[in-house]
Every structure is written in C-alpha cells, then in structure tokens.
Amino acid sequence: MSLARVGVIARNVFLEVIRDRILYLVALFALLLVAATLLLPEVSAGAQDKITLDLGLAAIHLLSVVVAVFVGTGLVNKEIEKKTVLVLIAKPVSRLEFVIGKHLGLVGVLAVLIGLLTVIFLAVLSLNRIDYPLGSLLISVAFMALEGMLLTAVAILFGVFTSSLLATLLTFAIYLMGHLSQDIVALGQLSENPSLQRLTDGLYLVLPDLERLNLRNEAIYGMELLPPLPELLGHLLYALVYTLLLLAIAIAIFSRRQF
C-alpha cells in the first residue's frame, strides 16, 4: 500500500466534500445555537444552562452522524454507479488504497466539522456566561468523532455492495441498534428463554456498542462523572478495532466485485 496514493485520494475526498457546501452546516448550527440561548430563558426556569449544554452537544452529534451516513454511503457507491471506479482502478491504485483513502478523507472532514462546531459552541457558552466543564466536554466531543469514524466505516461497507438508498437505511439502522445494543442484551437477560438470550448476546457481539462512545450526559456534569481513564482507553481501542474490522470486510467485498 502506498501512503502517497492514499493521501491523494483522501485529499480529493476532503476537498470534494468541503466544496459540496458541507460547511453551511456550521452556519446553521451557529444560528440555531444562538436562537436557543435567546429562547431558553423564556421557556425554562433556572435550568437553561444545562439545557443549552445538552442541546449543543446533541446538535454536534446529530450533524456529525448525518454527514457520516449520507456522505459516507456515497463515497464508493457513486463511483460504482457512475462507472468512474473503472478509471480509478485502471490506474496504479489498489482497491485497498481506494477504500482507505475514501475513509480517511471523510474522517478528516468530520474532524474539521466537529472542531468548528465545538469552537462555536464554546464561544456561545462563554458569551452568555454559561459555566461549562471544558475538559469533560472536549473528551465527549472527541468520542463523538470516534463514533463518526466508525459510522463512516459502516457506511462505506454497505456502500460497496448496495444502492445508495439501501446503504443509507442500513447504516441508520446500525446506528440506532448500536445505541440500543446494551438494552437488547438486558432484555434477553430478563427473559427466561435461552434461545432469546443467545440471540441477544449474538447481536451484541455483532453490532457496534455505540453507547460506549456516548459521554454527552456525563460530560455536562464534569470530569468526575466520566469513566476512569483505563475504561476510556478501552472504549477508544474498541472503536479503532471495530473500525478496522469493518474496513477490512469492505475491502474484501470490494476486491471481489467485478465491474
């Protein structure tokens, strides 16, 4: 694998997504956040600070998920549908380099997007003199970026062998089930049916446990409510390993496709 070729593909994806007006989401986020800070004092009694923190983190998370899913599913799929993939793979570019480059390019976009949204969020909090736990908020945002990285790998995986619409629906389904996977296991444990318990345990092993990367509620109340450092590092390793496995499967499927 050539890192130079991977870098070129990633750079092209990054510039292409940026040109697709993805940064208009930043302006939309700023407007909504400013509007929320103006309206919340009118509808909440003394809880507007916590609501603003929760709303801002939720908005950053939602926008990152939307970009990862909608853009990620089309990264490879649109190249296949437009037959431009024939030109790309005819050049000295391996399919492994193609998939890795696409993934890294969108991860770069997500990093920039989440970074800008976080800066705006913190600026609005400071201008409105809202106290916030900076350290825990930054850790929460970093884990949002990890979730975006993982979801991008899911989107690419489905995009290499299904249509854009189906890939989008399947990726959203994985996202929703990933946040419910712990509840699915708990439901199986409550039942007295061994078959159901095996099924729920199997689903938990296959589905990504995205709640491991959800630290938004804990972050609002400060560092003391976040998991200890060894547990955070375990969650980080989990996200990285799961992402690599998804990309490996995507590369294996893409390598066997005939165009």
Side-chain angles (χ1 to χ4, degrees):
M1 182 177 71
S2 170
L3 294 180
R5 289 195 290 266
V6 170
V8 170
I9 295 171
R11 179 177 178 274
N12 289 338
V13 170
F14 181 88
L15 295 176
E16 179 184 354
V17 176
I18 295 296
R19 283 196 297 265
D20 283 343
R21 302 177 181 178
I22 199 68
L23 293 182
Y24 281 133
L25 289 174
V26 176
L28 175 63
F29 172 80
L31 290 174
L32 291 177
L33 194 58
V34 170
T37 57
L38 294 175
L39 293 175
L40 282 176
E42 304 295 328
V43 298
S44 60
Q48 61 266 26
D49 289 2
K50 296 300 182 185
I51 295 175
T52 302
L53 288 169
D54 191 39
L55 182 64
L57 288 175
I60 295 173
H61 175 245
L62 178 62
L63 291 176
S64 65
V65 168
V66 167
V67 172
V69 174
F70 281 99
V71 179
T73 51
L75 282 178
V76 177
N77 187 272
K78 70 179 181 180
E79 304 280 7
I80 296 173
E81 292 179 347
K82 294 179 180 179
K83 303 300 183 181
T84 52
V85 69
L86 296 174
V87 179
L88 292 170
I89 62 177
K91 297 179 179 180
V93 176
S94 70
R95 301 195 185 195
L96 181 148
E97 293 166 347
F98 182 75
V99 172
I100 296 296
K102 291 284 189 180
H103 183 262
L104 291 179
L106 185 52
V107 169
V109 171
L110 286 172
V112 171
L113 177 65
I114 292 173
L116 289 175
L117 295 180
T118 302
V119 170
I120 293 171
F121 180 44
L122 297 179
V124 170
L125 293 177
S126 299
L127 289 173
N128 286 275
R129 298 180 180 178
I130 297 175
D131 293 329
Y132 57 88
L134 178 61
S136 60
L137 287 183
L138 292 179
I139 291 174
S140 173
V141 168
F143 274 80
M144 286 185 207
L146 286 174
E147 181 176 352
M149 176 189 70
L150 195 155
L151 284 176
T152 299
V154 174
I156 290 175
L157 171 60
F158 289 128
V160 299
F161 68 89
T162 62
S163 66
S164 294
L165 177 60
L166 184 56
T168 300
L169 294 175
L170 289 172
T171 305
F172 264 121
I174 293 295
Y175 165 74
L176 293 174
M177 294 182 70
H179 279 287
L180 295 173
S181 58
Q182 294 181 6
D183 296 327
I184 293 173
V185 173
L187 178 63
Q189 292 174 346
L190 288 174
S191 71
E192 298 181 357
N193 188 333
S195 298
L196 181 59
Q197 290 178 356
R198 286 193 295 270
L199 175 62
T200 55
D201 290 343
L203 286 174
Y204 182 77
L205 291 175
V206 173
L207 294 172
D209 184 1
L210 297 181
E211 278 300 301
R212 287 174 177 244
L213 310 178
N214 180 11
L215 303 177
R216 296 189 300 278
N217 291 333
E218 294 87 343
I220 292 173
Y221 296 97
M223 296 288 290
E224 62 274 6
L225 290 184
L226 289 178
L229 181 58
E231 188 174 342
L232 288 176
L233 292 177
H235 296 336
L236 169 63
L237 181 62
Y238 175 85
L240 293 175
V241 170
Y242 207 103
T243 300
L244 290 175
L245 286 174
L246 290 170
L247 289 175
I249 296 171
I251 292 167
I253 295 173
F254 189 54
S255 298
R256 287 167 173 74
R257 287 206 59 173
Q258 301 296 323
F259 303 104

